[in-house]
Amino acid sequence: MHSPHFTAESSSDGMVERDFTVGDIPGVLWSPASGGDHAPLVLMGHGGGRHKKEPAMTGRARLLVNGCGFHAAVIDAPGHGDRPRTAHDERDIAALRAAQAAGEPEGPIVVPYNARLAELAVPEWQTVLDALQQLPEIGADGPVGYTGLGLGTAIGVPLVAAEPRITAAVFGMHWPDALVETAKRITVPIEFDMQWDNERIPREASLALFDAFASKEKTLHANAGKHFDWPRFEADSAVRFLARHLGRADTSAP
Amino acid sequence: MHSPHFTAESSSDGMVERDFTVGDIPGVLWSPASGGDHAPLVLMGHGGGRHKKEPAMTGRARLLVNGCGFHAAVIDAPGHGDRPRTAHDERDIAALRAAQAAGEPEGPIVVPYNARLAELAVPEWQTVLDALQQLPEIGADGPVGYTGLGLGTAIGVPLVAAEPRITAAVFGMHWPDALVETAKRITVPIEFDMQWDNERIPREASLALFDAFASKEKTLHANAGKHFDWPRFEADSAVRFLARHLGRADTSAP
Protein backbone atom coordinates (compact mmCIF):
# COMPACT_ATOMS: atom_id res chain seq x y z
CA MET A 1 0.00 0.00 0.00
CA HIS A 2 1.27 3.44 -0.99
CA SER A 3 0.56 6.89 0.35
CA PRO A 4 -1.75 9.13 -1.70
CA HIS A 5 -0.22 10.79 -4.76
CA PHE A 6 -0.45 14.53 -4.18
CA THR A 7 -1.25 16.58 -7.30
CA ALA A 8 -1.77 20.09 -5.91
CA GLU A 9 -1.24 21.97 -2.67
CA SER A 10 -2.40 25.35 -1.39
CA SER A 11 -2.93 26.91 1.99
CA SER A 12 -4.89 29.72 3.59
CA ASP A 13 -5.71 30.84 7.12
CA GLY A 14 -3.87 28.02 8.82
CA MET A 15 -5.31 25.22 6.65
CA VAL A 16 -3.42 23.24 4.02
CA GLU A 17 -5.43 21.78 1.12
CA ARG A 18 -3.89 18.92 -0.85
CA ASP A 19 -5.52 17.32 -3.89
CA PHE A 20 -4.58 13.67 -4.19
CA THR A 21 -5.26 10.49 -6.10
CA VAL A 22 -5.22 6.92 -4.84
CA GLY A 23 -5.26 4.81 -7.98
CA ASP A 24 -7.91 6.49 -10.13
CA ILE A 25 -9.83 7.92 -7.15
CA PRO A 26 -9.49 11.70 -6.79
CA GLY A 27 -9.71 13.25 -3.37
CA VAL A 28 -8.70 16.17 -1.22
CA LEU A 29 -7.09 16.26 2.22
CA TRP A 30 -7.28 19.29 4.50
CA SER A 31 -4.86 19.53 7.43
CA PRO A 32 -3.70 22.09 9.98
CA ALA A 33 -0.77 24.14 8.66
CA SER A 34 0.89 23.35 11.98
CA GLY A 35 1.04 19.70 10.90
CA GLY A 36 -1.79 18.03 12.82
CA ASP A 37 0.53 15.29 14.01
CA HIS A 38 -1.54 12.09 14.43
CA ALA A 39 -4.65 14.22 14.89
CA PRO A 40 -8.06 12.59 14.31
CA LEU A 41 -9.11 12.14 10.67
CA VAL A 42 -12.69 12.76 9.51
CA LEU A 43 -13.82 11.19 6.25
CA MET A 44 -16.56 13.27 4.62
CA GLY A 45 -19.11 12.08 2.05
CA HIS A 46 -20.51 14.69 -0.36
CA GLY A 47 -24.16 14.85 -1.43
CA GLY A 48 -25.73 13.40 -4.56
CA GLY A 49 -24.79 15.32 -7.73
CA ARG A 50 -22.10 17.22 -5.79
CA HIS A 51 -18.36 16.72 -5.53
CA LYS A 52 -15.37 16.75 -3.20
CA LYS A 53 -15.01 20.54 -3.12
CA GLU A 54 -18.64 21.60 -2.82
CA PRO A 55 -19.04 24.38 -0.23
CA ALA A 56 -20.59 21.98 2.29
CA MET A 57 -17.33 19.99 2.25
CA THR A 58 -14.91 22.93 2.32
CA GLY A 59 -16.98 24.59 5.07
CA ARG A 60 -16.94 21.51 7.30
CA ALA A 61 -13.24 21.01 6.57
CA ARG A 62 -12.53 24.49 7.90
CA LEU A 63 -14.53 23.80 11.09
CA LEU A 64 -12.71 20.49 11.61
CA VAL A 65 -9.21 21.75 10.78
CA ASN A 66 -9.29 25.25 12.25
CA GLY A 67 -11.78 24.57 15.05
CA CYS A 68 -10.55 21.15 16.18
CA GLY A 69 -7.05 20.65 14.73
CA PHE A 70 -8.29 17.57 12.82
CA HIS A 71 -7.56 16.27 9.31
CA ALA A 72 -10.51 16.02 6.89
CA ALA A 73 -10.71 14.13 3.60
CA VAL A 74 -13.25 13.75 0.79
CA ILE A 75 -13.21 11.64 -2.36
CA ASP A 76 -15.42 12.07 -5.41
CA ALA A 77 -18.12 9.39 -5.41
CA PRO A 78 -18.29 7.18 -8.52
CA GLY A 79 -19.67 9.20 -11.45
CA HIS A 80 -19.30 12.46 -9.51
CA GLY A 81 -16.89 15.40 -9.64
CA ASP A 82 -13.78 14.60 -11.66
CA ARG A 83 -14.79 10.98 -12.26
CA PRO A 84 -16.26 9.62 -15.51
CA ARG A 85 -19.95 8.78 -15.74
CA THR A 86 -20.95 5.37 -17.02
CA ALA A 87 -23.92 4.73 -19.30
CA HIS A 88 -25.68 3.34 -16.20
CA ASP A 89 -25.03 6.62 -14.37
CA GLU A 90 -26.45 8.58 -17.29
CA ARG A 91 -29.61 6.45 -17.36
CA ASP A 92 -30.15 6.84 -13.59
CA ILE A 93 -29.63 10.60 -13.75
CA ALA A 94 -32.01 10.95 -16.71
CA ALA A 95 -34.65 8.92 -14.84
CA LEU A 96 -34.20 11.11 -11.75
CA ARG A 97 -34.59 14.32 -13.75
CA ALA A 98 -37.70 12.94 -15.45
CA ALA A 99 -39.24 12.05 -12.07
CA GLN A 100 -38.42 15.49 -10.68
CA ALA A 101 -39.92 17.21 -13.74
CA ALA A 102 -43.07 15.11 -13.41
CA GLY A 103 -43.34 15.76 -9.68
CA GLU A 104 -43.04 12.03 -8.93
CA PRO A 105 -41.31 10.58 -5.84
CA GLU A 106 -37.52 10.40 -6.11
CA GLY A 107 -37.02 7.53 -3.70
CA PRO A 108 -37.70 4.67 -6.15
CA ILE A 109 -34.88 6.00 -8.36
CA VAL A 110 -32.44 7.45 -5.83
CA VAL A 111 -32.47 4.45 -3.48
CA PRO A 112 -31.20 1.83 -5.99
CA TYR A 113 -28.91 4.40 -7.70
CA ASN A 114 -27.21 5.29 -4.42
CA ALA A 115 -27.05 1.63 -3.34
CA ARG A 116 -25.18 0.84 -6.56
CA LEU A 117 -22.74 3.73 -5.97
CA ALA A 118 -22.21 2.58 -2.37
CA GLU A 119 -21.16 -0.89 -3.49
CA LEU A 120 -18.40 0.72 -5.53
CA ALA A 121 -17.52 3.43 -3.03
CA VAL A 122 -17.08 1.40 0.17
CA PRO A 123 -13.97 -0.51 -1.00
CA GLU A 124 -12.67 2.74 -2.54
CA TRP A 125 -12.95 4.51 0.80
CA GLN A 126 -11.20 1.63 2.55
CA THR A 127 -8.33 1.82 0.06
CA VAL A 128 -8.11 5.59 0.50
CA LEU A 129 -8.14 5.27 4.28
CA ASP A 130 -5.32 2.71 4.07
CA ALA A 131 -3.35 5.20 1.96
CA LEU A 132 -4.05 8.22 4.17
CA GLN A 133 -2.91 6.29 7.23
CA GLN A 134 0.45 5.77 5.50
CA LEU A 135 1.08 9.51 5.85
CA PRO A 136 3.34 10.21 8.85
CA GLU A 137 1.14 13.15 9.94
CA ILE A 138 -1.91 10.83 10.16
CA GLY A 139 -0.65 7.34 10.98
CA ALA A 140 -2.61 4.21 11.73
CA ASP A 141 -3.25 4.92 15.40
CA GLY A 142 -5.38 8.08 15.27
CA PRO A 143 -9.18 8.13 15.68
CA VAL A 144 -11.27 8.17 12.49
CA GLY A 145 -14.78 9.59 12.06
CA TYR A 146 -17.24 9.92 9.20
CA THR A 147 -19.79 12.56 8.24
CA GLY A 148 -22.08 12.61 5.22
CA LEU A 149 -25.74 13.35 4.43
CA GLY A 150 -27.84 12.12 1.50
CA LEU A 151 -25.55 10.14 -0.83
CA GLY A 152 -22.94 10.56 1.91
CA THR A 153 -25.20 8.48 4.16
CA ALA A 154 -25.99 5.90 1.48
CA ILE A 155 -22.25 5.29 1.20
CA GLY A 156 -21.39 5.97 4.84
CA VAL A 157 -23.73 3.46 6.49
CA PRO A 158 -22.23 0.40 4.75
CA LEU A 159 -18.75 1.93 5.10
CA VAL A 160 -19.05 2.40 8.86
CA ALA A 161 -20.63 -1.05 9.25
CA ALA A 162 -17.67 -2.59 7.39
CA GLU A 163 -14.89 -0.49 8.85
CA PRO A 164 -13.90 -0.89 12.52
CA ARG A 165 -11.45 2.01 12.27
CA ILE A 166 -14.40 4.47 12.17
CA THR A 167 -15.60 5.12 15.72
CA ALA A 168 -18.20 7.91 15.35
CA ALA A 169 -20.42 9.04 12.46
CA VAL A 170 -22.88 11.71 11.38
CA PHE A 171 -25.62 10.59 8.97
CA GLY A 172 -29.01 11.71 7.73
CA MET A 173 -31.28 12.83 4.92
CA HIS A 174 -31.80 9.44 3.28
CA TRP A 175 -34.44 6.79 2.75
CA PRO A 176 -34.12 3.67 4.95
CA ASP A 177 -34.95 1.04 2.33
CA ALA A 178 -31.48 -0.19 1.39
CA LEU A 179 -29.82 0.81 4.68
CA VAL A 180 -31.89 -0.50 7.61
CA GLU A 181 -30.38 -3.96 7.79
CA THR A 182 -26.85 -2.54 7.61
CA ALA A 183 -27.64 0.16 10.17
CA LYS A 184 -28.64 -2.57 12.64
CA ARG A 185 -24.99 -3.69 12.67
CA ILE A 186 -23.64 -0.24 13.60
CA THR A 187 -22.89 0.33 17.28
CA VAL A 188 -20.63 3.41 17.29
CA PRO A 189 -22.07 6.78 18.42
CA ILE A 190 -24.28 8.39 15.75
CA GLU A 191 -25.72 11.85 15.17
CA PHE A 192 -28.56 11.72 12.62
CA ASP A 193 -30.14 14.69 10.81
CA MET A 194 -33.57 14.86 9.24
CA GLN A 195 -35.91 17.58 8.03
CA TRP A 196 -39.29 17.34 9.74
CA ASP A 197 -41.23 18.52 6.68
CA ASN A 198 -39.05 16.91 4.02
CA GLU A 199 -40.99 16.82 0.74
CA ARG A 200 -38.71 14.08 -0.63
CA ILE A 201 -38.16 11.68 2.24
CA PRO A 202 -41.28 10.81 4.28
CA ARG A 203 -41.02 11.60 8.00
CA GLU A 204 -41.68 8.00 8.99
CA ALA A 205 -38.91 6.83 6.65
CA SER A 206 -36.32 9.05 8.34
CA LEU A 207 -37.48 8.00 11.82
CA ALA A 208 -37.26 4.34 10.78
CA LEU A 209 -33.66 4.70 9.64
CA PHE A 210 -32.64 6.48 12.87
CA ASP A 211 -34.42 3.79 14.85
CA ALA A 212 -32.45 1.02 13.12
CA PHE A 213 -28.98 1.91 14.42
CA ALA A 214 -27.86 -0.37 17.23
CA SER A 215 -25.73 2.40 18.75
CA LYS A 216 -26.16 2.85 22.48
CA GLU A 217 -25.44 6.56 21.99
CA LYS A 218 -27.38 8.02 19.10
CA THR A 219 -29.03 11.42 18.73
CA LEU A 220 -31.68 12.50 16.23
CA HIS A 221 -31.73 16.14 15.18
CA ALA A 222 -34.99 16.91 13.38
CA ASN A 223 -35.48 20.46 12.15
CA ALA A 224 -38.65 22.11 10.89
CA GLY A 225 -38.62 22.77 7.16
CA LYS A 226 -38.20 21.12 3.80
CA HIS A 227 -35.23 19.26 2.35
CA PHE A 228 -33.15 22.30 1.47
CA ASP A 229 -34.07 24.21 4.66
CA TRP A 230 -31.53 22.06 6.57
CA PRO A 231 -30.01 24.63 8.95
CA ARG A 232 -26.35 25.54 8.85
CA PHE A 233 -26.01 25.24 12.64
CA GLU A 234 -26.26 21.45 12.22
CA ALA A 235 -22.84 21.54 10.54
CA ASP A 236 -21.46 23.10 13.73
CA SER A 237 -23.27 20.48 15.78
CA ALA A 238 -21.81 17.65 13.68
CA VAL A 239 -18.31 18.99 14.25
CA ARG A 240 -18.89 19.27 18.01
CA PHE A 241 -20.18 15.69 18.02
CA LEU A 242 -17.09 14.43 16.18
CA ALA A 243 -14.77 16.47 18.39
CA ARG A 244 -16.43 14.97 21.48
CA HIS A 245 -16.08 11.38 20.29
CA LEU A 246 -12.74 11.45 18.52
CA GLY A 247 -11.00 12.27 21.73
CA ARG A 248 -9.89 15.85 21.55
CA ALA A 249 -10.59 18.05 24.53
CA ASP A 250 -10.92 21.07 22.22
CA THR A 251 -14.67 21.46 21.72
CA SER A 252 -14.51 25.18 21.09
CA ALA A 253 -15.77 24.73 17.53
CA PRO A 254 -18.42 27.39 16.90
CA MET B 1 -45.25 46.64 40.67
CA HIS B 2 -42.27 46.26 42.98
CA SER B 3 -38.87 44.67 42.48
CA PRO B 4 -38.26 41.26 44.06
CA HIS B 5 -37.55 41.22 47.78
CA PHE B 6 -34.06 39.80 48.23
CA THR B 7 -33.61 37.53 51.24
CA ALA B 8 -30.10 36.14 50.79
CA GLU B 9 -27.06 36.74 48.62
CA SER B 10 -23.88 34.82 47.96
CA SER B 11 -21.34 34.66 45.20
CA SER B 12 -18.74 32.27 43.81
CA ASP B 13 -16.61 32.04 40.68
CA GLY B 14 -17.99 35.16 39.09
CA MET B 15 -21.68 34.35 39.71
CA VAL B 16 -23.96 36.09 42.22
CA GLU B 17 -26.86 34.07 43.64
CA ARG B 18 -29.76 35.99 45.19
CA ASP B 19 -32.77 34.32 46.85
CA PHE B 20 -35.90 36.43 46.48
CA THR B 21 -39.62 36.49 47.05
CA VAL B 22 -42.30 38.16 44.97
CA GLY B 23 -45.38 38.09 47.18
CA ASP B 24 -45.38 34.54 48.54
CA ILE B 25 -43.47 33.08 45.59
CA PRO B 26 -39.88 32.08 46.42
CA GLY B 27 -37.26 32.22 43.70
CA VAL B 28 -33.58 32.59 42.97
CA LEU B 29 -31.78 34.89 40.55
CA TRP B 30 -28.27 34.19 39.28
CA SER B 31 -26.33 37.04 37.65
CA PRO B 32 -22.78 37.80 36.51
CA ALA B 33 -20.72 39.33 39.31
CA SER B 34 -19.75 41.97 36.77
CA GLY B 35 -23.37 43.16 36.80
CA GLY B 36 -24.82 41.74 33.59
CA ASP B 37 -26.22 45.12 32.63
CA HIS B 38 -29.45 44.56 30.64
CA ALA B 39 -28.18 41.12 29.66
CA PRO B 40 -30.71 38.53 28.47
CA LEU B 41 -32.77 36.81 31.18
CA VAL B 42 -33.56 33.08 31.05
CA LEU B 43 -36.49 31.79 33.11
CA MET B 44 -35.96 28.16 34.10
CA GLY B 45 -38.62 25.65 35.10
CA HIS B 46 -37.60 22.82 37.44
CA GLY B 47 -38.78 19.22 37.08
CA GLY B 48 -41.66 17.51 38.88
CA GLY B 49 -40.91 16.83 42.54
CA ARG B 50 -37.80 19.02 42.35
CA HIS B 51 -37.19 22.63 43.38
CA LYS B 52 -35.53 25.89 42.41
CA LYS B 53 -32.03 24.87 43.53
CA GLU B 54 -31.90 21.31 42.19
CA PRO B 55 -28.54 20.58 40.49
CA ALA B 56 -30.12 20.75 37.03
CA MET B 57 -31.05 24.38 37.73
CA THR B 58 -27.80 25.48 39.37
CA GLY B 59 -25.81 23.74 36.61
CA ARG B 60 -27.70 25.49 33.81
CA ALA B 61 -27.47 28.79 35.70
CA ARG B 62 -23.70 28.49 35.73
CA LEU B 63 -23.60 27.80 31.96
CA LEU B 64 -25.89 30.76 31.30
CA VAL B 65 -24.18 33.20 33.66
CA ASN B 66 -20.53 32.26 33.28
CA GLY B 67 -20.72 31.01 29.69
CA CYS B 68 -23.01 33.66 28.22
CA GLY B 69 -23.12 36.57 30.65
CA PHE B 70 -26.90 36.11 31.06
CA HIS B 71 -29.21 36.32 34.08
CA ALA B 72 -31.10 33.14 35.06
CA ALA B 73 -34.08 32.81 37.39
CA VAL B 74 -36.15 29.95 38.85
CA ILE B 75 -39.20 29.92 41.09
CA ASP B 76 -40.55 27.00 43.10
CA ALA B 77 -43.62 25.58 41.37
CA PRO B 78 -46.81 25.42 43.46
CA GLY B 79 -46.47 22.68 46.09
CA HIS B 80 -42.75 22.33 45.41
CA GLY B 81 -39.54 23.37 47.20
CA ASP B 82 -40.25 25.93 49.93
CA ARG B 83 -43.95 26.19 49.10
CA PRO B 84 -46.77 24.52 51.06
CA ARG B 85 -48.55 21.48 49.67
CA THR B 86 -52.32 21.52 49.51
CA ALA B 87 -54.52 18.51 50.26
CA HIS B 88 -55.03 18.26 46.49
CA ASP B 89 -51.25 18.10 45.99
CA GLU B 90 -50.98 15.34 48.59
CA ARG B 91 -53.71 13.30 46.89
CA ASP B 92 -52.05 13.63 43.46
CA ILE B 93 -48.63 12.68 44.82
CA ALA B 94 -50.07 9.66 46.65
CA ALA B 95 -51.83 8.54 43.47
CA LEU B 96 -48.59 8.92 41.48
CA ARG B 97 -46.59 6.87 44.00
CA ALA B 98 -49.27 4.17 43.97
CA ALA B 99 -49.17 4.00 40.16
CA GLN B 100 -45.36 3.83 40.17
CA ALA B 101 -45.39 1.08 42.80
CA ALA B 102 -47.94 -0.89 40.76
CA GLY B 103 -46.00 -0.41 37.50
CA GLU B 104 -48.96 1.44 35.96
CA PRO B 105 -48.62 4.31 33.45
CA GLU B 106 -47.91 7.68 35.06
CA GLY B 107 -49.43 9.81 32.30
CA PRO B 108 -53.06 9.62 33.46
CA ILE B 109 -52.00 11.07 36.84
CA VAL B 110 -49.13 13.38 35.90
CA VAL B 111 -50.92 15.06 32.98
CA PRO B 112 -53.87 16.50 34.96
CA TYR B 113 -51.66 17.16 38.02
CA ASN B 114 -49.19 19.21 35.98
CA ALA B 115 -51.99 20.97 34.09
CA ARG B 116 -53.45 22.10 37.42
CA LEU B 117 -50.04 23.37 38.61
CA ALA B 118 -49.55 25.19 35.30
CA GLU B 119 -52.80 27.12 35.73
CA LEU B 120 -51.44 28.47 39.00
CA ALA B 121 -47.86 28.92 37.85
CA VAL B 122 -48.34 30.88 34.63
CA PRO B 123 -49.69 34.05 36.29
CA GLU B 124 -47.06 33.64 39.04
CA TRP B 125 -44.27 33.60 36.43
CA GLN B 126 -45.73 36.69 34.76
CA THR B 127 -45.77 38.53 38.08
CA VAL B 128 -42.20 37.45 38.80
CA LEU B 129 -41.05 38.54 35.33
CA ASP B 130 -42.68 41.94 35.87
CA ALA B 131 -40.76 42.24 39.15
CA LEU B 132 -37.41 41.07 37.75
CA GLN B 133 -37.69 43.59 34.93
CA GLN B 134 -37.94 46.34 37.57
CA LEU B 135 -34.33 45.64 38.51
CA PRO B 136 -31.99 48.16 36.88
CA GLU B 137 -29.52 45.40 35.89
CA ILE B 138 -32.28 43.57 33.94
CA GLY B 139 -34.75 46.21 32.74
CA ALA B 140 -37.77 45.82 30.49
CA ASP B 141 -35.89 45.93 27.19
CA GLY B 142 -33.69 42.84 27.37
CA PRO B 143 -34.45 39.54 25.62
CA VAL B 144 -36.16 36.81 27.69
CA GLY B 145 -35.95 33.06 27.14
CA TYR B 146 -37.37 29.98 28.86
CA THR B 147 -36.04 26.48 29.49
CA GLY B 148 -37.73 23.63 31.32
CA LEU B 149 -38.30 19.88 30.87
CA GLY B 150 -41.02 17.69 32.36
CA LEU B 151 -43.08 19.86 34.75
CA GLY B 152 -41.01 22.75 33.38
CA THR B 153 -42.59 22.08 29.99
CA ALA B 154 -46.10 21.61 31.39
CA ILE B 155 -45.80 25.12 32.87
CA GLY B 156 -43.60 26.58 30.14
CA VAL B 157 -45.81 25.83 27.13
CA PRO B 158 -48.81 27.84 28.40
CA LEU B 159 -46.43 30.49 29.79
CA VAL B 160 -44.65 31.02 26.47
CA ALA B 161 -47.98 30.98 24.60
CA ALA B 162 -49.29 33.72 26.92
CA GLU B 163 -46.15 35.80 27.24
CA PRO B 164 -44.90 37.79 24.24
CA ARG B 165 -41.77 38.86 26.15
CA ILE B 166 -40.38 35.30 25.81
CA THR B 167 -38.76 34.91 22.39
CA ALA B 168 -37.08 31.46 22.51
CA ALA B 169 -37.73 28.31 24.56
CA VAL B 170 -36.39 24.84 25.33
CA PHE B 171 -39.00 22.19 26.14
CA GLY B 172 -39.33 18.42 26.27
CA MET B 173 -39.97 15.23 28.23
CA HIS B 174 -43.74 15.60 28.59
CA TRP B 175 -46.97 14.07 27.34
CA PRO B 176 -48.84 16.06 24.68
CA ASP B 177 -52.39 15.61 25.98
CA ALA B 178 -52.96 18.92 27.78
CA LEU B 179 -50.40 20.89 25.74
CA VAL B 180 -50.99 20.29 22.03
CA GLU B 181 -53.62 22.96 21.49
CA THR B 182 -51.53 25.55 23.34
CA ALA B 183 -48.35 24.52 21.50
CA LYS B 184 -50.10 25.28 18.21
CA ARG B 185 -50.15 28.96 19.24
CA ILE B 186 -46.39 29.15 19.85
CA THR B 187 -44.30 30.56 17.01
CA VAL B 188 -40.99 31.46 18.68
CA PRO B 189 -37.92 29.24 18.06
CA ILE B 190 -38.05 25.97 20.03
CA GLU B 191 -35.56 23.26 20.96
CA PHE B 192 -37.36 20.11 22.13
CA ASP B 193 -35.80 17.13 23.94
CA MET B 194 -37.12 13.59 24.09
CA GLN B 195 -35.74 10.18 25.01
CA TRP B 196 -36.16 7.72 22.16
CA ASP B 197 -36.77 4.74 24.47
CA ASN B 198 -38.64 6.56 27.23
CA GLU B 199 -40.45 4.01 29.37
CA ARG B 200 -42.83 6.68 30.73
CA ILE B 201 -43.74 8.82 27.74
CA PRO B 202 -44.54 6.89 24.54
CA ARG B 203 -42.36 7.80 21.55
CA GLU B 204 -45.37 8.80 19.45
CA ALA B 205 -46.60 11.08 22.24
CA SER B 206 -43.33 13.03 22.30
CA LEU B 207 -43.24 13.30 18.51
CA ALA B 208 -46.84 14.56 18.52
CA LEU B 209 -46.04 17.35 20.97
CA PHE B 210 -42.98 18.46 18.98
CA ASP B 211 -45.08 18.38 15.82
CA ALA B 212 -47.70 20.69 17.34
CA PHE B 213 -45.53 23.79 17.73
CA ALA B 214 -46.22 26.39 15.02
CA SER B 215 -42.64 27.67 15.23
CA LYS B 216 -40.94 28.10 11.87
CA GLU B 217 -37.65 27.26 13.59
CA LYS B 218 -37.91 24.22 15.83
CA THR B 219 -35.46 21.41 16.46
CA LEU B 220 -36.10 17.99 17.97
CA HIS B 221 -33.26 16.33 19.87
CA ALA B 222 -34.08 12.66 20.43
CA ASN B 223 -31.51 10.59 22.29
CA ALA B 224 -31.32 6.85 22.65
CA GLY B 225 -32.14 5.65 26.14
CA LYS B 226 -34.75 5.73 28.85
CA HIS B 227 -36.21 8.68 30.76
CA PHE B 228 -33.30 9.19 33.14
CA ASP B 229 -30.65 8.50 30.48
CA TRP B 230 -31.18 12.06 29.15
CA PRO B 231 -27.61 13.09 28.30
CA ARG B 232 -25.92 16.01 30.00
CA PHE B 233 -24.67 17.41 26.69
CA GLU B 234 -28.25 18.48 25.95
CA ALA B 235 -27.95 21.06 28.74
CA ASP B 236 -25.00 22.56 26.85
CA SER B 237 -27.03 22.43 23.65
CA ALA B 238 -29.97 24.23 25.29
CA VAL B 239 -27.66 27.00 26.45
CA ARG B 240 -26.14 27.38 22.98
CA PHE B 241 -29.67 27.54 21.51
CA LEU B 242 -30.68 30.27 23.96
CA ALA B 243 -27.43 32.19 23.40
CA ARG B 244 -28.03 32.06 19.64
CA HIS B 245 -31.59 33.39 19.86
CA LEU B 246 -31.33 35.87 22.70
CA GLY B 247 -28.93 37.95 20.72
CA ARG B 248 -25.51 37.53 22.25
CA ALA B 249 -22.61 36.88 19.94
CA ASP B 250 -20.87 34.86 22.67
CA THR B 251 -21.69 31.24 21.83
CA SER B 252 -18.58 29.84 23.46
CA ALA B 253 -20.65 27.97 26.04
CA PRO B 254 -19.24 24.43 26.28
Side-chain angles (χ1 to χ4, degrees):
Chain A
M1 172 49 54
H2 296 289
S3 312
H5 174 63
F6 289 111
T7 58
E9 177 169 337
S10 63
S11 69
S12 72
D13 294 335
M15 182 167 84
V16 176
E17 173 178 304
R18 285 179 285 179
D19 294 2
F20 67 80
T21 55
V22 171
D24 58 357
I25 309 159
V28 57
L29 174 65
W30 291 279
S31 300
S34 58
D37 194 36
H38 287 220
L41 168 65
V42 176
L43 311 179
M44 308 195 295
H46 64 71
R50 307 301 180 93
H51 59 85
K52 63 185 175 306
K53 290 191 183 177
E54 63 157 326
M57 297 293 101
T58 56
R60 273 175 196 67
R62 193 159 284 288
L63 295 173
L64 288 162
V65 173
N66 289 357
C68 308
F70 289 6
H71 302 277
V74 195
I75 58 174
D76 282 329
H80 284 70
D82 295 328
R83 304 187 67 180
R85 282 185 188 169
T86 64
H88 201 154
D89 291 333
E90 299 288 0
R91 284 197 303 277
D92 282 343
I93 293 164
L96 176 58
R97 293 203 175 132
Q100 287 171 333
E104 290 167 1
E106 296 177 16
I109 297 158
V110 174
V111 166
Y113 175 37
N114 285 358
R116 181 171 65 78
L117 298 183
E119 273 192 46
L120 302 169
V122 168
E124 291 177 354
W125 259 126
Q126 293 185 291
T127 302
V128 168
L129 178 55
D130 290 342
L132 291 171
Q133 289 190 326
Q134 297 291 317
L135 294 170
E137 64 270 35
I138 293 181
D141 57 343
V144 182
Y146 182 88
T147 180
L149 306 180
L151 174 60
T153 284
I155 292 170
V157 168
L159 172 63
V160 173
E163 186 46 75
R165 288 176 285 185
I166 300 176
T167 55
V170 180
F171 295 132
M173 309 287 270
H174 205 277
W175 296 261
D177 310 59
L179 300 177
V180 160
E181 290 308 313
T182 314
K184 288 179 183 171
R185 291 190 280 118
I186 290 179
T187 58
V188 299
I190 296 294
E191 187 162 287
F192 188 94
D193 289 355
M194 66 175 281
Q195 288 295 100
W196 194 244
D197 312 293
N198 198 318
E199 74 282 18
R200 300 178 171 195
I201 306 169
R203 185 180 297 172
E204 291 308 319
S206 290
L207 294 174
L209 180 50
F210 171 70
D211 193 44
F213 291 95
S215 312
K216 193 174 161 193
E217 178 173 340
K218 60 179 180 180
T219 304
L220 174 72
H221 285 186
N223 282 284
K226 292 178 182 282
H227 191 79
F228 286 113
D229 294 331
W230 180 83
R232 193 74 62 90
F233 59 72
E234 290 295 354
D236 299 327
S237 177
V239 168
R240 273 193 305 269
F241 168 85
L242 291 165
R244 185 152 52 87
H245 286 289
L246 300 180
R248 281 292 166 110
D250 177 6
T251 55
S252 67
Chain B
M1 174 48 56
H2 296 287
S3 314
H5 175 63
F6 289 112
T7 57
E9 176 169 338
S10 63
S11 70
S12 73
D13 294 336
M15 182 166 85
V16 176
E17 173 179 302
R18 285 178 284 179
D19 294 2
F20 67 79
T21 55
V22 171
D24 57 357
I25 309 159
V28 57
L29 174 65
W30 291 280
S31 302
S34 57
D37 194 35
H38 287 220
L41 168 66
V42 176
L43 311 179
M44 308 195 297
H46 64 73
R50 308 300 181 93
H51 59 83
K52 62 185 176 307
K53 289 191 183 178
E54 64 159 324
M57 298 291 101
T58 56
R60 275 174 194 68
R62 192 158 285 288
L63 294 173
L64 288 162
V65 172
N66 290 357
C68 308
F70 289 6
H71 302 277
V74 195
I75 58 175
D76 281 329
H80 284 70
D82 295 328
R83 303 187 67 180
R85 284 186 187 168
T86 64
H88 200 156
D89 292 332
E90 300 288 0
R91 283 198 302 278
D92 283 343
I93 293 163
L96 176 59
R97 294 205 174 130
Q100 287 170 334
E104 291 167 1
E106 296 177 16
I109 296 157
V110 175
V111 167
Y113 175 37
N114 285 358
R116 180 171 65 78
L117 298 184
E119 272 193 47
L120 302 169
V122 168
E124 290 177 355
W125 259 126
Q126 293 185 292
T127 301
V128 168
L129 178 55
D130 291 342
L132 291 170
Q133 289 191 325
Q134 296 291 318
L135 294 170
E137 64 271 33
I138 293 180
D141 58 344
V144 181
Y146 182 87
T147 181
L149 305 180
L151 175 60
T153 285
I155 291 170
V157 169
L159 173 63
V160 172
E163 186 46 75
R165 288 176 286 186
I166 300 175
T167 56
V170 179
F171 295 132
M173 309 287 270
H174 205 276
W175 296 261
D177 311 59
L179 299 178
V180 160
E181 291 307 314
T182 313
K184 288 180 183 172
R185 292 190 280 117
I186 291 179
T187 58
V188 300
I190 295 295
E191 187 162 288
F192 188 94
D193 289 355
M194 66 175 280
Q195 287 297 98
W196 194 244
D197 312 293
N198 198 317
E199 73 282 17
R200 301 178 170 194
I201 306 169
R203 184 179 297 172
E204 292 308 318
S206 290
L207 294 174
L209 180 51
F210 171 70
D211 193 44
F213 291 95
S215 312
K216 192 174 163 193
E217 178 172 343
K218 60 179 180 180
T219 305
L220 174 72
H221 285 187
N223 284 284
K226 292 178 182 283
H227 191 79
F228 285 112
D229 294 331
W230 180 83
R232 193 72 63 90
F233 58 72
E234 290 295 353
D236 300 327
S237 177
V239 168
R240 274 193 304 271
F241 168 85
L242 292 165
R244 186 152 50 87
H245 287 289
L246 300 181
R248 282 291 167 108
D250 178 7
T251 55
S252 67

